[in-house]
Amino acid sequence: MEREFDWIQDEEVFSAIDAERRRQEDSTELIASENYVSLAVLKAQGSILTNKYAEGYPGKRYYGGCGNVDTVEDIARERAKALFHCRFANVQPYSGSTANMAAIRSLLNPGDRIMGMSVNGGGHLTHGYSLSFSGRDYESQSYDVDRETFLLDYDAILEQARQFRPKLIVCGASAYSRFIDFKAFRRIADEVGAYLMADIAHIAGLVATGEHESPIGLADIVTSTTHKTLRGPRGGLILTNDEELAKKIDKNVFPGIQGGPLEHVVAAKAVVFKEDLTSEYQNYIRNVVKNARRMAKEFVDMGYKVLTGGTDNHLFLIDVLSSRNITGMACQKLLESVNITANRNSIPFDTQKPYISSGIRIGTPAMTTRGFGEEEFVAIAHYIDEAIENRDDLRKLDEIKEKVTALNRSFPLPYEVRR
Ligand code: DSN
């Protein structure tokens, strides 16, 4: 078999990369936080900009020879501002987590109170989880979704905020399938005199294209990753309309928590922001949402417990334990055995430990990039059901895997894969 990187003398690493390319092409990728970047993004990220040190910001660097990376970073900042209609952007965070750390440090002092969504409810570790910096350096209390509906209950969050008096409220989620009411969060924050931070890592693509309300102008700071629905390189982004906060954010990113920026990744962010400003991308995001709604409905029709009954965005959660008596972990493994990749996920008030969990999370961004439409997502929903129903029948599972692989191969990756 010919390999793209066979001129590189590192058999161990490049054979693993080759195997990963085959895995990606053969699998249905349903992890809601993953996507396939364009060839242009891949090339920018794989470029010689990785050779350059550039501590500081454009025009104010601590190294010589930064003219070209200044150009790249300026373009990235301008495009990010255009994409999200905001005044200031910092494109240097290495990840969503460092973006959140720099943003929170711009608003809080150690020991201040923070209130974010619980991880089981759908929030992120960096929103105040006890083992994260956000729950260790600050006094944290989490809010949850409603026990019956699994929806955010803004009255209950207001009441909790009145009791707890946080200095910062964090909204945004990693596993919540319904619209987030940023105006309601702003009202709650104002009522208790708190800052508001919106982490739109998951829904950034929907926000950028108008498929979800934007928190810009409502939240004091907005953070995101660039690799989920935005379809860019793995990295973070911080946005604000407040000039004083923008200065603090810059200082908290560098030198606060990071050293030299990854200018090859910043270049890839610039490239994807341009892609995200196109009508093709708008159309893509509309399809992501349409496909998620259709697939969720198919599971509901097959009798699965889809949390909240469906979705408004790119993902949904299924309580597989109560639907089909299989844990999230077992279900994730089973699906992987038929070339379908999803992740187990805790559900609100889960009775299982996070490592086991009762649910799986399903997202449509990646396979929509590969060209899947409603028909293909419905077919995959049925393959998932067939696999669950026949989980002990190895011959049947082999048949399902063959069909899934054939379907996936007819929707190739957005770049050549040599087999
Ligand atoms: N937020 C996680 C996810 O959605 O997969 C990654 O940090």
Side-chain angles (χ1 to χ4, degrees), residues 297-312:
K297 181 180 178 304
E298 202 63 23
F299 278 109
V300 171
D301 291 349
M302 288 190 287
Y304 283 84
K305 187 175 173 191
V306 173
L307 270 63
T308 78
T311 181
D312 296 327

Side-chain angles (χ1 to χ4, degrees), residues 31-34 97 123-125 173-175 201-202 225 227-228 343 361:
I31 294 177
S33 49
E34 293 191 14
S97 295
H124 191 252
L125 299 172
S174 290
H202 265 267
T225 54
H227 51 271
K228 297 186 177 98
N343 66 281
R361 185 183 64 166

Side-chain angles (χ1 to χ4, degrees), residues 197-419:
M197 178 179 129
D199 177 349
I200 59 167
H202 265 267
I203 56 167
L206 283 70
V207 169
T209 53
E211 294 295 312
H212 192 293
E213 178 187 33
S214 172
I216 299 289
L218 294 168
D220 298 282
I221 300 182
V222 175
T223 61
S224 183
T225 54
T226 48
H227 51 271
K228 297 186 177 98
T229 47
L230 285 182
R231 211 159 58 174
R234 199 158 281 281
L237 172 68
I238 309 179
L239 307 165
T240 186
N241 274 347
D242 182 318
E243 191 163 3
E244 287 313 305
L245 266 181
K247 287 181 196 155
K248 282 191 183 175
I249 290 165
D250 283 354
K251 281 193 187 130
N252 274 298
V253 172
F254 170 82
I257 59 168
Q258 292 190 173
L262 311 175
E263 289 296 344
H264 55 304
V265 179
V266 170
K269 288 175 187 175
V271 169
V272 84
F273 294 152
K274 186 174 184 185
E275 292 174 2
D276 293 349
L277 281 158
T278 61
S279 54
E280 284 85 357
Y281 179 74
Q282 280 209 336
N283 198 35
Y284 158 72
I285 288 291
R286 268 186 222 121
N287 286 334
V288 165
V289 176
K290 193 165 71 164
N291 290 337
R293 284 195 180 140
R294 183 67 189 85
M295 196 183 192
K297 181 180 178 304
E298 202 63 23
F299 278 109
V300 171
D301 291 349
M302 288 190 287
Y304 283 84
K305 187 175 173 191
V306 173
L307 270 63
T308 78
T311 181
D312 296 327
N313 57 32
H314 60 299
L315 65 80
F316 57 93
L317 285 127
I318 305 177
D319 178 348
V320 284
L321 189 59
S322 67
S323 304
R324 293 294 192 273
N325 200 28
I326 181 169
T327 65
M329 184 190 222
C331 190
Q332 177 190 308
K333 279 190 184 159
L334 173 71
L335 295 184
E336 192 166 348
S337 78
V338 295
N339 278 355
I340 295 173
T341 319
N343 66 281
R344 64 185 180 279
N345 216 99
S346 293
I347 59 168
F349 316 104
D350 208 325
T351 51
Q352 303 292 311
K353 292 192 172 110
Y355 194 69
I356 305 294
S357 75
S358 299
I360 55 167
R361 185 183 64 166
I362 288 186
T364 52
M367 294 314 288
T368 304
T369 294
R370 280 173 70 171
F372 267 29
E374 293 178 68
E375 188 186 325
E376 289 77 26
F377 279 107
V378 165
I380 292 294
H382 284 276
Y383 288 138
I384 290 174
D385 178 53
E386 264 184 65
I388 291 174
E389 294 297 345
N390 296 282
R391 65 190 94 155
D392 298 320
D393 182 343
L394 291 182
R395 198 187 48 79
K396 184 77 189 166
L397 291 178
D398 272 348
E399 277 172 31
I400 296 168
K401 181 178 180 176
E402 246 176 64
K403 286 187 222 163
V404 169
T405 308
L407 178 61
N408 293 330
R409 285 185 182 169
S410 60
F411 289 84
L413 299 181
Y415 12 82
E416 191 188 355
V417 174
R418 298 175 190 216
R419 309 195 64 81

